[in-house]
């Protein structure tokens, strides 16, 4: 007896998630192990048991572990944020980096650090507010101008550049506002500590759980605002909550990773092809795929020109720009 289409789809998705989990764990293990000093799995076990080499233990505890956790958190957050934004705005070209969400978060962090340097521990909340401001501007353009997909992306690029200019202005007047401003603008994980990840990780994990709980509403919203309203969905509040969660995800990631680009564009598209359009498997797959993708890119950035290190944002740009250009021409080819 042949398997039904539903059973076949479930098996395919189950296999996909098993592979994604395995790849993500393998990427994390490699990120923890490889670098200027190799930390073997045996060294990690010795560290956990409290009897490892002190120098290796310090490298593992203060460098590799925070950096790997940061890469996985940022990748998952940006990928899920991109998946939500693309669905809510009904625009496959949208992503946190392209439409100015990351830049809005970055500007808010820069202003907070310049005005209230003692309150830098609250930068994830400021980044969330800045990201939400950016995404609401984009939503306003979508609703009130009837902009096409291409026009919306161009407007988003303009908004991103405006916020980036704001970051430059803040740093010009208050040079100490952002330590390592170049790394912040490109995006990277050098210097990240576990204490710095505490608040962002809470925001990211809570937002991921809330997005997963709202995937039925996201499925309805994907049908279009008019159709969703005819099916009984209260469109405006649901859309606002989803955009708020996407802003929280992107803002929390920006607060410790800087203006990483393209993870929120590449990963959701790849996962849509593998997991389908249904929101629950798409969001879950995007979280795993984003964690894997950014962790691997960070590992490449550390090893490619070792002992010199590239910011991971450079690797993401090399991967993302060709993908965005391909996607742009694909949309112009009659699918906009």
């Amino acid at each position: 007896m042949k398997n039904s289409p539903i059973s076949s789809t479930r098996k395919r998705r189950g296999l996909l998630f098993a592979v994604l989990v395995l790849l993500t764990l393998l990427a994390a293990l490699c990120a923890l192990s490889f670098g200027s000093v190799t930390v073997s799995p045996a060294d990690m076990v010795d560290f956990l048991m409290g009897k490892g080499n002190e120098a290796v233990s310090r490298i593992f505890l203060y460098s590799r572990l925070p950096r790997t956790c940061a890469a996985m958190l940022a990748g998952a957050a940006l990928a899920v944020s991109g998946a939500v934004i693309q669905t809510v705005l009904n625009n496959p070209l949208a992503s946190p980096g392209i439409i100015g969400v990351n830049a809005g978060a970055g500007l808010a962090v820069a202003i907070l650090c310049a005005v209230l340097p003692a309150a830098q521990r609250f930068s994830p909340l400021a980044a969330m507010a800045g990201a939400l401001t950016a995404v609401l501007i984009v939503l306003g353009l979508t609703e009130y101008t009837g902009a096409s997909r291409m026009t919306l992306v161009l407007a988003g690029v303009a908004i991103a550049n405006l916020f980036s200019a704001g970051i430059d202005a803040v740093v010009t007047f208050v040079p100490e506002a952002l330590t390592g401003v170049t790394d912040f603008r490109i995006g990277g994980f050098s210097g990240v500590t576990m204490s710095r990840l505490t608040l962002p990780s809470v925001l990211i994990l809570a937002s991921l759980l809330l997005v997963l709980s709202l995937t039925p509403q996201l499925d309805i919203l994907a049908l279009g605002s008019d159709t969703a309203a005819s099916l009984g969905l209260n469109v405006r509040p649901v859309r606002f909550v989803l955009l708020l969660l996407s802003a929280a995800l992107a803002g929390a990631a920006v607060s410790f990773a800087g203006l990483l680009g393209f993870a929120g564009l590449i990963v959701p598209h790849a996962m849509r092809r593998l997991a389908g359009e249904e929101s629950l498997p798409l969001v879950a797959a995007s979280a795993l795929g984003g964690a894997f993708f950014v962790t691997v890119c960070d590992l490449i950035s550390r090893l490619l020109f070792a002992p010199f290190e590239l910011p991971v944002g450079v690797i993401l740009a090399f991967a993302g720009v060709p993908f965005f250009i391909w996607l742009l021409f694909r949309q112009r080819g009659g699918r906009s």
Side-chain angles (χ1 to χ4, degrees):
M1 184 177 179
K2 291 184 178 180
N3 290 331
S4 67
I6 294 177
S7 176
S8 177
T9 299
R10 286 177 178 171
K11 287 182 179 180
R12 180 171 56 83
R13 284 177 177 166
L15 178 61
L16 170 65
F17 281 107
V19 171
L20 284 174
V21 168
L22 182 63
L23 288 175
T24 303
L25 291 175
L26 182 61
L29 181 62
C30 290
L32 290 169
S33 298
F34 299 124
S36 55
V37 174
T38 299
V39 180
S40 69
D43 291 328
M44 297 180 205
V45 173
D46 287 342
F47 165 77
L48 294 173
M49 296 179 67
K51 58 180 184 180
N53 178 278
E54 184 177 351
V56 173
S57 296
R58 290 179 67 85
I59 291 171
F60 177 79
L61 182 60
Y62 297 111
S63 177
R64 300 283 172 80
L65 184 60
R67 185 162 186 157
T68 302
C69 290
M72 295 181 73
L73 282 169
L78 292 171
V80 173
S81 179
V84 172
I85 289 173
Q86 288 168 12
T87 302
V88 172
L89 297 182
N90 191 26
N91 192 328
L93 293 169
S95 76
I98 290 171
I99 65 172
V101 177
N102 286 359
L107 177 58
V109 170
I111 292 173
L112 176 70
C113 294
V115 177
L116 296 170
Q120 290 188 28
R121 64 183 181 278
F122 298 113
S123 60
L125 299 178
M128 174 181 167
L132 181 61
T133 299
V135 82
L136 289 178
I137 291 173
V138 173
L139 179 61
L141 287 171
T142 304
E143 284 196 341
Y144 298 113
T145 67
S148 67
R149 290 177 177 177
M150 202 65 63
T151 304
L152 179 61
V153 170
L154 293 174
V157 170
I159 291 168
N161 278 279
L162 177 64
F163 287 145
S164 294
I167 295 172
D168 290 337
V170 171
V171 174
T172 299
F173 288 110
V174 189
E176 66 275 12
L178 286 176
T179 55
V181 63
T182 302
D183 290 341
F184 181 84
R185 292 186 63 87
I186 298 172
F189 304 109
S190 59
V192 172
T193 61
M194 293 302 287
S195 60
R196 190 178 171 190
L197 291 177
T198 302
L199 182 55
S201 64
V202 171
L203 276 175
I204 289 171
L205 294 175
S207 299
L208 284 174
L209 290 174
L210 288 170
V211 170
L212 287 169
S213 71
L214 289 172
T215 49
Q217 289 83 354
L218 192 60
D219 279 325
I220 298 173
L221 197 57
L223 301 174
S225 297
D226 294 338
T227 304
S230 69
L231 293 173
L233 184 70
N234 200 347
V235 173
R236 284 180 179 270
V238 171
R239 182 164 52 193
F240 177 79
V241 170
L242 286 166
L243 290 175
L244 176 64
L245 292 172
S246 69
L249 289 165
V254 166
S255 70
F256 63 83
L259 306 183
L260 288 180
F262 296 108
L265 178 72
I266 296 174
V267 176
H269 275 279
M271 293 305 108
R272 273 195 170 88
R273 288 182 173 271
L274 296 172
E277 295 288 343
E278 189 180 343
S279 294
L280 180 58
L282 173 62
V283 168
S286 294
L288 289 169
F292 166 75
F293 179 63
V294 175
T295 301
V296 168
C297 287
D298 183 53
L299 183 61
I300 292 171
S301 75
R302 287 192 281 130
L303 298 180
L304 191 61
F305 298 107
F308 302 102
E309 180 180 315
L310 281 175
V312 67
V314 174
I315 303 297
L316 285 169
F318 277 123
V321 169
F323 181 84
F324 180 70
I325 292 173
W326 169 80
L327 190 60
L328 194 66
F329 280 104
R330 185 169 176 261
Q331 293 300 311
R332 287 183 64 88
R335 303 189 186 193
S336 61

